[in-house]
Amino acid sequence: MCCRQSEKLTPIRENYNRIISIREWKAVITKELFESTEGGEAGFYYTPAGLQKIVVRHYGEMFQQITEYYLQEGRLSFVFEKRYKYNRPIYYDSFAMKESGDSESFDFGKAEIIEVRSYFENGILIHQVSNQD
């Protein structure tokens, strides 16, 4: 990453650090999501200055995805996505494993973790990093 690119990311990182250091929110509003049979939720985090962060969780039988949106002066500045890709469906216990002649049951510790960080300036994506690159 060149020096100019690094300079552009500095205020985004500082804003992210400011937001994650907030311990008391003026309001946190949670909404249930119904996009899958396993469901999900969205949390909206407010300070007196307004909406600062949105955290969305989607659950599936083979995954869980957490997406955090960080705002700066009312505009999107950073998105952190973390996806857990499970080794087996969440209902696949030791009984189902034996019944199927399989050698593994669901184990959250064996989930593949995919992370993507997206940086925005004036609403435009300027940099993206993935552990899959």
Side-chain angles (χ1 to χ4, degrees), residues 106-124:
F106 168 78
D107 183 349
F108 186 78
K110 292 184 179 180
E112 176 186 1
I113 301 172
I114 301 165
E115 294 181 344
V116 179
R117 291 168 175 78
S118 303
Y119 300 81
F120 295 83
E121 182 181 65
N122 298 320
I124 298 170

Side-chain angles (χ1 to χ4, degrees), residues 1 5 8-13 16 76-80 116-129:
M1 180 182 336
Q5 182 73 10
K8 286 182 153 195
L9 300 182
T10 298
I12 298 168
R13 289 182 174 136
Y16 167 81
L76 184 63
S77 67
F78 179 67
V79 177
F80 177 63
V116 179
R117 291 168 175 78
S118 303
Y119 300 81
F120 295 83
E121 182 181 65
N122 298 320
I124 298 170
L125 179 66
I126 61 168
H127 186 68
Q128 192 171 57
V129 179

Side-chain angles (χ1 to χ4, degrees), residues 35-79:
E35 296 176 10
S36 73
T37 55
E38 286 75 25
E41 64 184 18
F44 301 86
Y45 295 77
Y46 293 87
T47 66
L51 182 62
Q52 301 292 311
K53 174 172 86 166
I54 302 167
V55 179
V56 179
R57 291 180 180 269
H58 289 100
Y59 301 103
E61 66 180 43
M62 287 296 295
F63 75 95
Q64 177 183 159
Q65 181 163 326
I66 305 162
T67 307
E68 300 175 356
Y69 302 88
Y70 294 86
L71 303 173
Q72 187 169 20
E73 298 175 10
R75 297 181 81 151
L76 184 63
S77 67
F78 179 67
V79 177

